[in-house]
Amino acid sequence: MTESTFWSSDMSSSLVDFLLNSFKAQQDKTTTLIQITCTVVAIVLLWLLHYVLFKPLNRIRDLCDTGYQDQMRWDRYGKTKRQLANEARRNKKVGDVPPVYPNGWFALCESDDLKAGQVLSIKALDENLAVFRTEDGQVCVLDAYCPHLGAHLGIGGRVVNDCIECPFHGWQFSGHDGKCTSIPYSKGKIPPSAQVKKWPCHEVNGFVFFWYHAEEEKSLEPEWTVPELDVISSGRWQYRGRTEYQVNVHIQEIPENGADVAHLAHLHGPSMLGGSDLTSIDRKKSDGESMPILHHHWQVGWKGPEHGDADWHVAVTTIKHDLRLFGRIPFILMDVEAKQIGPGLVHLTIGTSLGRCVLLQTVTPIAPFTQRVLHRLYASPTVVAPYAKLILWGEAIQFERDVAVWNHKTYIRHPVIVSEDRTISKHRRWFQQFYSENSPRIETIMENRKGSLDW
């Protein structure tokens, strides 16, 4: 064998080894990449499974999030959705509205928001409030401003046993009656006027409520109580999620929706799969046209209390619902009873083929035409989590269609109605009882704000 033949053979062997090693290394990289990809996919699938089966729904929509799709489509100036929403709010005609703050129980927060020893600053019905939970777990609601020099008790205030301590000078006020219990630097007697207003409050069904009444003599003695739902307080039914909205409308418009029977077929008839964009939902346009593939069908009744009823503050809407295929084949049947308890609370009991649920809706005015609306859904153990969340999601889509209308509508005190709208008039007469002589009107509020600072 010649020397050149030897080197040629050696080089060929090295080249083969190099190619084999390169192929093996590439194969190892491919295997590693596949393993990483499979791991990532498995993690995502496990997260989705956990979200669907176990994690409660939490859907939050701000004032600018719902009902401004048309403005976004029409805009030619590059404005943000928030700018367009604020512009729409300024341009909206208020109308001849009733008083802006009715009397009743209103939700300030959810129980989960307030831990033992925690303080919250909350604005509701034009009142600045310090809401806190004592060290032994009791919820208290006081006026926010310290009578000493006006410091805000809810901003930097500290819970000491069952009192709240002012962040400015350390004065302490009892959560039970609002009286000052301690002035740390004073050796004299505490002045009798050293106290803040104590608001009646009630923690029930996962919410913290406070009692508001425009007449001073009735503001400390609630005229009814918020009913406790045993299925929630006992823990038998499971919490499945919440939704939260801010809506640009007078408070009366929201509960009035339950008495507006005629709007359900037109606004809420199209399938929830169509979303909440009012211009894109699939409506049946005339009697001669075929029904959409999926369509909601509603049978609704509204009933107020009889004269002299003990539950004068409760009105009831009954709903029979089914989702129909091609307008003929019904499935997903539900029976709903919605109890409107005062101006700011609704208990919706929902009967389904898998069991029963209850949806709690609270409406709280945080400004004359800004309502904070919360929903919490609880379901019996037989209603599996995915189905319960589907119910809540579907309700959210339907509610957002109402929000898209509310955010732009004006209030008409004497509307043009037909005989089929008579329940609206009945509801308005029933709702009038929640206003009283001194209930705040928008004209008075705007007059009082003329001297306010605006940066």
Side-chain angles (χ1 to χ4, degrees):
M1 182 181 296
T2 64
E3 184 177 352
S4 60
T5 304
F6 173 82
W7 283 107
S8 176
S9 175
D10 188 54
M11 289 178 63
S12 298
S13 176
S14 298
L15 181 59
V16 171
D17 290 342
F18 174 76
L19 291 174
L20 287 173
N21 290 334
S22 297
F23 178 75
K24 185 178 180 182
Q26 186 64 35
Q27 200 172 32
D28 291 342
K29 288 181 180 179
T30 302
T31 302
T32 302
L33 183 60
I34 292 174
Q35 290 174 340
I36 293 173
T37 302
C38 290
T39 302
V40 171
V41 170
I43 291 173
V44 171
L45 290 175
L46 284 172
W47 181 86
L48 287 173
L49 188 65
H50 170 77
Y51 179 82
V52 171
L53 293 180
F54 304 108
K55 190 173 178 62
L57 181 68
N58 185 27
R59 186 180 180 92
I60 301 174
R61 296 291 183 267
D62 198 1
L63 274 170
C64 65
D65 291 333
T66 303
Y68 299 100
Q69 293 91 337
D70 282 344
Q71 281 83 350
M72 292 294 292
R73 283 190 285 264
W74 300 335
D75 178 59
R76 297 293 183 270
Y77 304 101
K79 295 177 182 176
T80 65
K81 186 184 288 188
R82 186 171 296 277
Q83 288 173 324
L84 292 169
N86 285 331
E87 187 177 88
R89 293 180 70 198
R90 289 193 298 270
N91 293 336
K92 175 178 174 177
K93 290 185 178 180
V94 170
D96 185 13
V97 296
V100 290
Y101 301 140
N103 302 317
W105 287 100
F106 296 94
L108 294 177
C109 63
E110 293 162 276
S111 295
D112 297 341
D113 296 331
L114 198 61
K115 306 295 186 293
Q118 187 176 0
V119 183
L120 297 178
S121 167
I122 296 179
K123 178 72 175 292
L125 292 94
D126 227 31
E127 302 289 345
N128 290 291
L129 306 169
V131 183
F132 64 98
R133 191 183 295 277
T134 63
E135 294 179 358
D136 62 1
Q138 184 178 352
V139 173
C140 303
V141 180
L142 302 180
D143 263 352
Y145 296 115
C146 177
H148 177 214
L149 287 177
H152 197 300
L153 301 174
I155 307 296
R158 184 171 68 98
V159 175
V160 180
N161 297 320
D162 59 354
C163 297
I164 186 170
E165 182 181 84
C166 176
F168 203 8
H169 296 88
W171 290 33
Q172 294 180 4
F173 299 89
S174 169
H176 301 298
D177 56 16
K179 294 181 179 179
C180 181
T181 60
S182 173
I183 302 176
Y185 55 87
S186 175
K187 297 180 180 178
K189 184 179 179 181
I190 297 175
S193 59
Q195 65 179 48
V196 293
K197 181 175 179 178
K198 166 73 168 69
W199 292 83
C201 61
H202 185 31
E203 183 174 17
V204 63
N205 303 329
F207 289 96
V208 173
F209 296 90
F210 91 121
W211 172 259
Y212 172 89
H213 204 290
E215 311 308 318
E216 186 63 31
E217 66 275 11
K218 295 184 178 181
S219 65
L220 300 180
E221 294 294 334
E223 296 176 306
W224 74 87
T225 58
V226 178
E228 180 179 4
L229 298 177
D230 180 64
V231 292
I232 296 176
S233 58
S234 66
R236 296 202 309 272
W237 286 17
Q238 295 172 302
Y239 168 68
R240 291 304 187 191
R242 67 188 293 277
T243 61
E244 177 179 343
Y245 298 91
Q246 288 196 27
V247 189
N248 177 28
V249 73
H250 187 282
I251 184 175
Q252 185 176 314
E253 303 265 31
I254 295 180
E256 188 173 290
N257 214 46
D260 184 5
V261 176
H263 91 288
L264 287 168
H266 187 72
L267 185 62
H268 301 295
S271 167
M272 62 186 181
L273 299 178
S276 58
D277 187 346
L278 300 185
T279 60
S280 63
I281 56 179
D282 185 18
R283 290 191 179 97
K284 177 187 175 184
K285 297 182 177 60
S286 68
D287 291 337
E289 296 184 8
S290 60
M291 293 293 289
I293 296 175
L294 290 175
H295 193 82
H296 296 276
H297 183 261
W298 313 85
Q299 290 181 294
V300 186
W302 182 89
K303 185 177 184 296
E306 300 293 336
H307 180 70
D309 279 358
D311 289 339
W312 54 270
H313 57 283
V314 177
V316 179
T317 301
T318 54
I319 304 171
K320 287 187 178 297
H321 163 271
D322 59 81
L323 186 61
R324 295 187 177 181
L325 189 63
F326 301 110
R328 298 177 182 274
I329 307 171
F331 66 105
I332 310 185
L333 282 69
M334 293 181 184
D335 290 317
V336 180
E337 182 187 73
K339 284 188 176 181
Q340 176 76 44
I341 305 168
L345 175 63
V346 181
H347 289 174
L348 292 97
T349 304
I350 306 169
T352 75
S353 56
L354 295 182
R356 300 179 72 78
C357 306
V358 62
L359 182 71
L360 280 66
Q361 180 194 73
T362 66
V363 183
T364 302
I366 57 178
F369 298 99
T370 304
Q371 314 302 322
R372 184 181 184 226
V373 183
L374 295 174
H375 298 99
R376 286 177 71 93
L377 180 72
Y378 294 86
S380 61
T382 57
V383 182
V384 294
Y387 188 58
K389 292 172 69 174
L390 177 64
I391 292 172
L392 183 56
W393 177 78
E395 190 278 337
I397 295 299
Q398 296 287 15
F399 184 76
E400 286 167 19
R401 293 179 186 178
D402 287 313
V403 173
V405 174
W406 289 329
N407 280 347
H408 301 279
K409 78 184 298 295
T410 190
Y411 183 85
I412 300 178
R413 181 177 288 272
H414 301 292
V416 179
I417 61 175
V418 294
S419 59
E420 289 80 2
D421 296 322
R422 58 185 177 274
T423 51
I424 297 176
S425 299
K426 291 180 179 179
H427 182 275
R428 289 191 173 189
R429 288 194 294 271
W430 172 77
F431 202 90
Q432 286 299 309
Q433 65 189 326
F434 301 114
Y435 304 122
S436 56
E437 181 182 357
N438 292 309
S439 291
R441 306 194 68 92
I442 185 60
E443 299 84 2
T444 305
I445 292 175
M446 297 305 294
E447 182 68 26
N448 292 338
R449 290 183 180 179
K450 279 186 177 179
S452 64
L453 297 176
D454 186 20
W455 284 280

